[in-house]
């Protein structure tokens, strides 16, 4: 039972264009969402997060949008750069005493072509 | 400063053998987590340590899995009588202070375990 779903295993975009990575969730107890980026042979690194009280959070070229009614979030990267090529994981945590537990999607491999 | 380190980086073992995986968290981080990523899957929570509190072991898949954290720092994940389905990348993370959801979890590079 996947509670966090990233339905696109891969995405390819041209340098300078926008990359949009999507994530859907099913657990209505999730109230905090994160995106992690992972290069080969390295651990995931935190990129950006959003609390359920917001619908948008922006950090430089990265913006995360949250649509609670649709249980959907997306990560926008503008403009995309070749160095952004990596696997992107969407993750969520639930309200309550175990809020330290992150539930991850399977990841989307982003390739940015020069 | 130094990040989370894990050893070994790769481990090949035979079915039925025991393995120990080590994690050195970032100095000063009181919360430590173990996750596992099987092929084609997302990261799966295994266990959480916070200070001197009892660990949350709710993610351990079977009683063949155990973990300890000595002196509030280094952690060892032990898998007894390994099975082929245990093959995965085992990732350790640590975070500062309370370990609550807004505390960023910093991940190590992982140990890639292959059980033949």
């Amino acid at each position: 039972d996947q509670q966090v779903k990233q339905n696109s295993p891969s995405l390819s975009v041209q340098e300078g264009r926008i990359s949009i990575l999507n994530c859907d969730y099913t657990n209505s107890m999730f109230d905090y969402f994160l995106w992690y980026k992972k290069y080969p042979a390295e651990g995931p690194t935190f990129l950006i997060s959003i609390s359920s009280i917001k619908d948008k959070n922006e950090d430089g070229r990265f913006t995360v949008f949250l649509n609670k009614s649709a249980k959907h979030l997306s990560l926008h990267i503008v403009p995309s750069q070749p160095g952004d090529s990596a696997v992107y994981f969407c993750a969520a945590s639930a309200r309550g005493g175990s809020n330290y537990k992150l539930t991850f999607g399977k990841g989307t491999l982003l390739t940015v072509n020069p | 400063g130094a990040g989370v380190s894990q050893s070994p980086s790769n481990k090949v073992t035979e079915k039925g053998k025991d393995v120990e995986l080590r994690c050195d968290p970032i100095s000063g981080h009181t919360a430590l987590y173990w996750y596992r990523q099987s092929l084609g899957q997302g990261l799966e929570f295994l266990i959480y340590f916070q200070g001197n509190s009892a660990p949350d072991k709710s993610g351990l898949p079977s009683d063949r899995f155990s973990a300890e954290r000595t002196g509030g720092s280094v952690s060892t994940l032990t898998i007894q009588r390994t099975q082929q389905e245990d093959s995965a990348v085992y990732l350790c993370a640590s975070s500062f202070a309370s370990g609550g959801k807004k505390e960023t979890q910093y991940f190590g590079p992982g140990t890639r375990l292959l059980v033949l």
Side-chain angles (χ1 to χ4, degrees), chain A residues 31-32 36 43 100-101 105-106, chain B residues 40 42 48 56 58 99 101 105 108:
Chain A
D31 69 344
Y32 192 67
Y36 276 81
Y100 46 80
K101 286 187 195 177
K106 293 185 178 181
Chain B
Y48 162 74
D56 178 350
S58 60
K101 75 181 105 186
Q105 296 182 27

Side-chain angles (χ1 to χ4, degrees), chain B:
Chain B
V4 177
S5 60
Q6 293 185 245
S7 60
S9 52
N10 291 280
K11 177 72 177 178
V12 181
T13 191
E14 293 178 349
K15 178 181 171 181
K17 295 282 180 70
D18 297 352
V19 294
E20 282 190 354
L21 312 179
R22 177 187 167 105
C23 171
D24 282 89
I26 293 172
S27 177
H29 281 191
T30 59
L32 187 147
Y33 317 74
W34 282 97
Y35 291 85
R36 139 174 113 170
Q37 184 181 16
S38 302
L39 189 64
Q41 302 299 313
L43 282 72
E44 171 192 6
F45 169 83
L46 296 178
I47 189 169
Y48 162 74
F49 294 92
Q50 168 55 15
N52 295 321
S53 304
D56 178 350
K57 304 180 182 180
S58 60
L60 294 179
S62 78
D63 59 7
R64 296 186 294 104
F65 288 72
S66 63
E68 63 177 23
R69 188 177 185 193
T70 53
S73 181
V74 172
S75 177
T76 302
L77 177 69
T78 301
I79 310 173
Q80 296 180 308
R81 305 181 302 284
T82 52
Q83 303 295 310
Q84 288 180 332
E85 62 262 28
D86 299 335
S87 298
V89 177
Y90 289 82
L91 291 148
C92 175
S94 69
S95 69
F96 182 70
S98 67
K101 75 181 105 186
K102 294 189 187 298
E103 298 292 341
T104 300
Q105 296 182 27
Y106 296 86
F107 283 83
T111 293
R112 186 175 299 273
L113 175 66
L114 177 62
V115 182
L116 301 176

